[in-house]
Amino acid sequence: MTMSSSRAYSRADVLAGHFAPVDGREAAAAPEPQPVAGTQSKSLTPTAMLDKWRQKASFEVGFMRDYIGAERAEHEAFVYEQLADCSRDVFGLSMEEHRAKVNTELLKLARAGCFPLRKVMRDPSLNKIILMRLGAVFAHDMSLGVKCAVNFGLFSSSVLRLGTERHHAMVDDLESGNLLGCFAMTEIGHGSNVRALRTTITYDRDTKEFVINTPDRMAVKWWIGNALTGTAGTVLGRLILDGEDLGIHAIFVPLRDPKSHDLLPGVTIGDCGHKVGLHGVDNGFIAFSNVRVPRENLLDHFGGVGEDGTYSSPIANPDKRFAAMLGELVGGRVFISLTQAVHLRYALTVAIRFAASRVQFGPR
């Protein structure tokens, strides 16, 4: 090893010392970074230098943490406890290894009751519990955070909030992770321009079924999280009744056999492959060819088709109906802001620690 590479490794070791503990969570056991020979004394290791500054604090750190966020700290601690035996280190993992790790940890959190969907369904104000816990999950691994947000946020919430009582019966399977799914909204041709989506959901009066189709390449559902692991999805598309386009609606569509995990007839799913980051998230594309689902699968809180084939909605105005449906999904946008706040908090912690222990010109 050359002198320059040796110094680079030493600097990397020193920098690594600034990443834990954060918010009371200790990092996995690691050897204390050692000073580079001839440049630092033992007392100038990151831990020793940070301890010096901590001893000068005029307040008790734990008290301050609880004062500004005791409830949040409680829920973060719950998440960290469930993930105590799970490494945060994902560097060097292949995409397949990272995905497997994330899937295992997602089920671990679900089995521990980390996302209390039934409680939230009874009292929507308790959704803050899920948000605070998701913040801690993102701090553990951003890929795991995205997977949990897609499954327990976008997918599960769309079923429960856009659906009605018959759909609410799925809440236990959604909460426990027995039913994993995706939120199939975005299409190649129109991104998140929901009004312009082209996937069709056509009602067949004879069989009392909906037929889902991808009419062309630009209507393929694209960049869908959980596409390769989910067994079902909430699919957004144009509801067609007797040739009339009634606008965008959501429908629950099984994608795979829950036991064999084989794709169901008419469903095509592919892998979007490597990305710049978040390799633990299985983003994929989905296309439908005459996929039939029962009439009851339409998530009909804002509009549905009765047994006699007639359409009804509590909101007569189509524009207001569309706005109401999208309003149920705005929580996902709020959560994006929350995750940025979580990572800014961590970045600030790392920056302050590094500033406190950075030695520019060696010992004095």
Side-chain angles (χ1 to χ4, degrees):
M1 181 180 295
T2 66
M3 178 62 71
S4 60
S5 62
S6 176
R7 287 175 178 170
Y9 276 109
S10 297
R11 289 171 181 168
D13 287 341
V14 170
L15 183 59
H18 301 288
F19 283 87
V22 177
D23 287 347
R25 184 187 185 193
E26 298 289 347
E32 169 69 23
Q34 298 300 312
V36 179
T39 62
Q40 294 187 29
S41 67
K42 183 70 173 179
S43 63
L44 294 182
T45 61
T47 299
M49 299 182 72
L50 289 173
D51 285 343
K52 179 185 71 173
W53 286 104
R54 286 169 176 152
Q55 290 168 7
K56 294 181 180 182
S58 60
F59 57 87
E60 201 278 313
V61 175
F63 174 81
M64 177 63 75
R65 182 183 65 243
D66 292 341
Y67 181 76
I68 63 177
E71 186 177 16
R72 186 195 70 209
E74 175 187 348
H75 290 295
E76 288 179 342
F78 175 80
V79 171
Y80 295 149
E81 181 181 355
Q82 310 314 314
L83 298 174
D85 59 347
C86 301
S87 172
R88 298 174 67 183
D89 186 7
V90 299
F91 295 105
L93 295 182
S94 68
M95 183 175 70
E96 291 74 17
E97 290 170 335
H98 196 179
R99 287 180 177 180
K101 177 180 184 296
V102 165
N103 288 334
T104 298
E105 292 171 357
L106 182 148
L107 290 175
K108 188 180 184 71
L109 292 172
R111 302 292 191 260
C114 191
F115 307 106
L117 297 174
R118 180 174 286 280
K119 289 183 179 180
V120 172
M121 194 167 62
R122 292 196 297 261
D123 182 359
S125 69
L126 295 180
N127 193 52
K128 64 180 181 180
I129 294 176
I130 293 180
L131 291 177
M132 287 185 285
R133 289 179 177 178
L134 277 174
V137 176
F138 264 86
H140 173 82
D141 179 357
M142 286 191 68
S143 287
L144 178 60
V146 170
K147 284 274 288 187
C148 288
V150 168
N151 188 78
F152 300 104
L154 287 173
F155 171 62
S156 297
S157 293
S158 64
V159 172
L160 300 176
R161 296 175 72 87
L162 298 181
T164 49
E165 187 174 353
R166 60 171 169 257
H167 307 109
H168 297 167
M170 292 186 276
V171 65
D172 289 337
D173 284 336
L174 292 169
E175 182 176 302
S176 66
N178 288 333
L179 175 57
L180 300 177
C182 60
F183 185 71
M185 180 179 73
T186 303
E187 296 177 359
I188 291 179
H190 300 90
S192 295
N193 180 9
V194 184
R195 275 192 182 276
L197 297 181
R198 295 172 55 80
T199 297
T200 57
I201 305 169
T202 305
Y203 187 63
D204 184 337
R205 286 181 176 274
D206 295 333
T207 62
K208 295 184 179 181
E209 295 174 314
F210 285 105
V211 185
I212 295 91
N213 272 295
T214 302
D216 53 52
R217 184 179 300 177
M218 301 306 286
V220 171
K221 298 296 183 182
W222 190 261
W223 216 253
I224 307 302
N226 276 11
L228 279 78
T229 52
T231 57
T234 294
V235 177
L236 271 66
R238 317 197 73 81
L239 179 61
I240 309 297
L241 182 60
D242 297 331
E244 181 183 0
D245 185 341
L246 296 174
I248 302 301
H249 287 67
I251 189 167
F252 177 86
V253 181
L255 302 173
R256 290 183 170 84
D257 182 293
K259 294 183 179 179
S260 68
H261 210 63
D262 292 336
L263 290 174
L264 295 178
V267 178
T268 299
I269 296 181
D271 195 340
C272 287
H274 283 270
K275 307 181 291 289
V276 174
L278 298 178
H279 284 150
V281 183
D282 50 314
N283 293 101
F285 60 85
I286 308 176
F288 305 96
S289 178
N290 296 317
V291 175
R292 291 180 171 269
V293 298
R295 176 185 63 86
E296 293 79 9
N297 282 30
L298 189 69
L299 301 176
D300 53 355
H301 182 71
F302 294 111
V305 177
E307 290 188 14
D308 60 354
T310 59
Y311 180 81
S312 63
S313 171
I315 305 175
N317 186 296
D319 292 334
K320 292 183 178 180
R321 185 190 312 142
F322 177 73
M325 183 185 72
L326 289 190
E328 293 298 318
L329 306 175
V330 74
R333 298 296 180 260
V334 173
F335 183 70
I336 291 175
S337 299
L338 171 66
T339 59
Q340 301 314 302
V342 168
H343 284 93
L344 284 171
R345 177 156 49 96
Y346 276 73
L348 184 61
T349 301
V350 172
I352 291 174
R353 288 176 175 177
F354 186 71
S357 58
R358 167 78 162 127
V359 178
Q360 182 99 18
F361 299 110
R364 287 181 288 178

